[in-house]
Amino acid sequence: MTFLPLSSDAELSAAALAAAERQLELHGGRITNMKRTLLGHVPSFDAYMEWYTLKDELEPYIGERAVSLFSYAISDANECLICSVFFRRILIESGDDPDNPQVTETEQLLLDWGRMIALDPNNIPAEFRARLEAAFQPKLRLILVAFAGLMVATNLFNTVGRVPLDEVLYDFRKPGDARTE
């Protein structure tokens, strides 16, 4: 059972409806259960939607697939059902196997870093940080860390808020996973 209110369009304020419309115009997609929940407080919605701004900043540097792999690694390690299944869907629909992706050296670095960020951000080994410094310029590392922070925040919002999984994502859960929140 959801912990946070999931508002219908009729329950949303004019400002919330305008924020939803703006989001769809800028980034496409649809209003998911997470976005609908966030629309209950427009400043919160706006803060979390900055994830799309950083995603758009990262893609020219590392590519859309690498952004999805990085996001999936963080979300899967955080055990965020909604976000991990959301990125599983993107990877599956683009022909990837999220459980055994064929990756470049840079993508593997992002997968490993994403898991470390989610599981033990205080203990990322110095040798690993040196590999990151060699692979990514300082500005790109800044954007990646900021993006990872918003990904973790999004994972937290969905998990703590017990936001229900969107029905369109049910078929993309890991085999045997019947969770819906």
Side-chain angles (χ1 to χ4, degrees):
M1 180 175 185
T2 183
F3 176 65
L4 298 175
L6 186 62
S7 304
S8 68
D9 282 352
E11 296 169 315
L12 293 175
S13 68
L17 292 170
E21 187 66 31
R22 183 181 64 246
Q23 177 65 24
L24 294 175
E25 286 175 16
L26 290 173
H27 301 288
R30 60 186 197 77
I31 298 301
T32 62
N33 287 342
M34 181 192 87
K35 291 174 187 168
R36 183 166 297 284
T37 302
L38 281 164
L39 283 167
H41 184 248
V42 174
S44 297
F45 177 83
D46 289 342
Y48 277 85
M49 293 306 105
E50 287 300 312
W51 180 92
Y52 287 93
T53 302
L54 296 183
K55 173 185 171 283
D56 291 346
E57 291 271 330
L58 281 176
E59 285 181 353
Y61 291 106
I62 64 173
E64 184 176 350
R65 181 174 188 259
V67 172
S68 293
L69 288 165
F70 188 48
S71 301
Y72 178 66
I74 294 167
S75 300
D76 189 50
N78 265 335
E79 298 184 29
C80 176
L81 178 65
I82 289 177
C83 296
S84 65
V85 175
F86 178 82
F87 290 106
R88 283 182 65 82
R89 177 183 178 180
I90 289 172
L91 293 167
I92 290 169
E93 288 184 342
S94 64
D96 274 317
D97 175 358
D99 298 318
N100 188 23
Q102 302 302 308
V103 296
T104 65
E105 185 176 330
T106 300
E107 290 168 341
Q108 186 61 56
L109 192 63
L110 288 168
L111 284 170
D112 294 341
W113 193 23
R115 290 183 191 110
M116 288 178 192
I117 288 168
L119 297 174
D120 196 4
N122 288 313
N123 291 306
I124 296 175
E127 306 82 44
F128 191 84
R129 285 196 313 272
R131 289 180 54 208
L132 293 168
E133 289 172 336
F136 306 115
Q137 295 297 316
K139 180 180 176 184
L140 182 53
R141 289 195 309 272
L142 186 156
I143 299 169
L144 284 163
V145 171
F147 177 82
L150 285 180
M151 192 73 254
V152 169
T154 301
N155 294 168
L156 182 107
F157 181 83
N158 286 321
T159 301
V160 175
R162 301 191 61 89
V163 176
L165 183 67
D166 299 81
E167 285 186 30
V168 298
L169 296 176
Y170 284 8
D171 291 342
F172 298 93
R173 291 174 287 192
K174 288 182 179 179
D177 187 350
R179 293 177 299 158
T180 59
E181 63 181 66

